[in-house]
Amino acid sequence: MVSFTVIGESSSDHLARKIASKLKSKYIGCELRVFPDGESKITLKTKPKGKIVVVHSVYPPVDSNLVRVLALVSQAKKYSSEVYVVIPYMGYARQDREFLPGEVVTMSLVAKMFKVAGATRIIVVDIHSILALKHFQIPTKNVTAIGELVKYFKRLHLKYPLVVSPDMGGVERAKNFANMMGVDYIALEKHRDRKTGEVIIKSKNHYEVRNRDIILVDDMISTGGSIVKAAEHLKKQKCGKIYATCTHALLIGDAERKIRKSGVTRIVSTNTIPGKTSMVDVSPVIVKAIS
Ligand code: R5P
């Protein structure tokens, strides 16, 4: 087995330690100091050796975490020609194209910054869009946490479960999830106003949800708007319990409270973003992609 040194910083240290242990590699932590003006100063605790794996999610504060991971990559490059960067949650992936005239495709700049910093390979988990990865000029790999989430739900013994995607864009994800669970799936028709961000569900009645436990599957939950609207719609159709699951639970502001109020029994996410709902570990799929 190739020997790696895994570097983690506070945003992903728990996951980084799990990855290091599975790779039977050394783990190096960092000291983070945030100056009164908001600047981050990072100090590596020990000198890394061999191939290096930097593990660092880019979740809020997104810009600070982005600079921190780039700083770690550039430092790692001083010790190794091979720097793998695991970005379990890749912020900016939703800005992968120009939706409205004049919008900056910031993902393209972010991708260039990783190359300039010294990254030689990028590994992400359930990135919002594969197009986002096309902006990188170095090898990339997107791994999926769906299999790990499915293992969790198989243990719950739900009542005649139905997998539901809150929007048409997530239909493939829902299909894969449902196939692995051995159950049916449907996708709702969601519309989001590109200027105000407001979400509405345009779907008509879905009688097939009646009395069935629902697994609402999305790649990420941010403000909770999509899940809330989907849950309200499904409740009106008299479904059973609703479980909301995603790979990345950002849960901005009071998203969690709003989601529970809309009738969701449990939110289940992965540890790409640590938090109360991150019950599923993605280190096995990441390690597979590295080794
Ligand atoms: C949208 O295409 C994504 O897959 C998610 O549905 C969306 O980003 C979730 O955001 P929010 O929780 O703010 O509705």
Side-chain angles (χ1 to χ4, degrees):
M1 195 183 246
V2 190
S3 110
F4 291 98
T5 299
V6 178
I7 299 177
E9 190 274 310
S10 54
S11 86
S12 298
D13 61 343
H14 189 63
L15 181 54
R17 280 177 200 275
K18 280 182 183 286
I19 292 171
S21 139
K22 290 196 169 69
L23 286 171
K24 300 195 181 357
S25 299
K26 188 174 173 190
Y27 170 82
I28 297 183
C30 308
E31 194 186 307
L32 169 69
R33 231 177 110 196
V34 181
F35 290 128
D37 64 356
E39 278 181 21
S40 302
K41 183 183 174 75
I42 300 181
T43 310
L44 272 191
K45 289 193 180 150
T46 333
K47 281 186 187 170
K49 273 197 243 143
K51 286 189 180 182
I52 297 177
V53 181
V54 174
V55 182
H56 201 301
S57 267
V58 180
Y59 60 79
V62 172
D63 293 342
S64 295
N65 273 324
L66 178 61
V67 169
R68 289 169 197 167
V69 59
L70 289 167
L72 278 176
V73 172
S74 73
Q75 186 68 0
K77 192 69 177 193
K78 292 184 185 159
Y79 299 99
S80 177
S81 57
E82 293 260 32
V83 180
Y84 294 5
V85 191
V86 176
I87 312 165
Y89 170 67
M90 178 79 243
Y92 283 106
R94 284 180 290 179
Q95 297 189 46
D96 58 351
R97 69 199 88 175
E98 188 181 318
F99 292 99
L100 295 176
E103 282 180 354
V104 177
V105 182
T106 308
M107 190 59 227
S108 158
L109 170 68
V110 169
K112 286 185 195 120
M113 293 199 301
F114 275 100
K115 187 175 179 198
V116 171
T120 50
R121 186 184 295 199
I122 302 284
I123 296 160
V124 292
V125 184
D126 287 326
I127 193 156
H128 178 67
S129 89
I130 291 299
L131 183 62
L133 287 183
K134 299 231 164 27
H135 294 289
F136 286 89
Q137 290 149 5
I138 48 176
T140 59
K141 189 158 181 61
N142 178 52
V143 297
T144 181
I146 290 181
E148 304 304 308
L149 290 166
V150 165
K151 281 184 206 161
Y152 178 95
F153 277 94
K154 276 190 169 166
R155 292 196 294 263
L156 293 188
H157 304 296
L158 303 183
K159 187 174 144 201
Y160 193 29
L162 179 71
V163 173
V164 180
S165 168
D167 55 42
M168 292 294 171
V171 70
E172 271 306 303
R173 183 180 311 113
K175 184 178 169 189
N176 292 339
F177 198 112
N179 286 346
M180 284 187 216
M181 285 282 293
V183 302
D184 300 329
Y185 70 95
I186 58 166
L188 303 180
E189 209 182 318
K190 174 181 104 176
H191 171 77
R192 186 190 290 275
D193 185 302
R194 288 243 162 251
K195 286 208 170 114
T196 63
E198 204 202 327
V199 170
I200 53 165
I201 299 293
K202 289 167 74 185
S203 299
K204 301 265 180 320
N205 292 335
H206 279 287
Y207 299 111
E208 66 269 51
V209 309
R210 184 158 293 198
N211 293 327
R212 292 175 80 169
D213 285 344
I214 303 292
I215 309 173
L216 258 176
V217 182
D218 213 337
D219 59 331
M220 59 193 285
I221 302 176
S222 180
T223 63
S226 306
I227 293 293
V228 166
K229 294 289 175 182
E232 286 170 355
H233 175 80
L234 294 164
K235 277 283 168 197
K236 270 191 217 146
Q237 318 287 317
K238 304 206 179 329
C239 67
K241 284 185 179 165
I242 303 179
Y243 294 80
T245 188
C246 66
T247 304
H248 316 291
L250 288 162
L251 296 172
I252 305 299
D254 63 347
E256 199 182 333
R257 188 191 58 81
K258 284 192 301 193
I259 291 171
R260 293 198 193 284
K261 202 169 153 229
S262 71
V264 170
T265 301
R266 193 182 300 179
I267 307 169
V268 179
S269 65
T270 78
N271 55 355
T272 60
I273 299 176
K276 265 201 281 176
T277 63
S278 57
M279 303 164 198
V280 173
D281 177 25
V282 289
S283 66
V285 288
I286 292 175
V287 166
K288 234 184 194 172
I290 296 172
S291 45

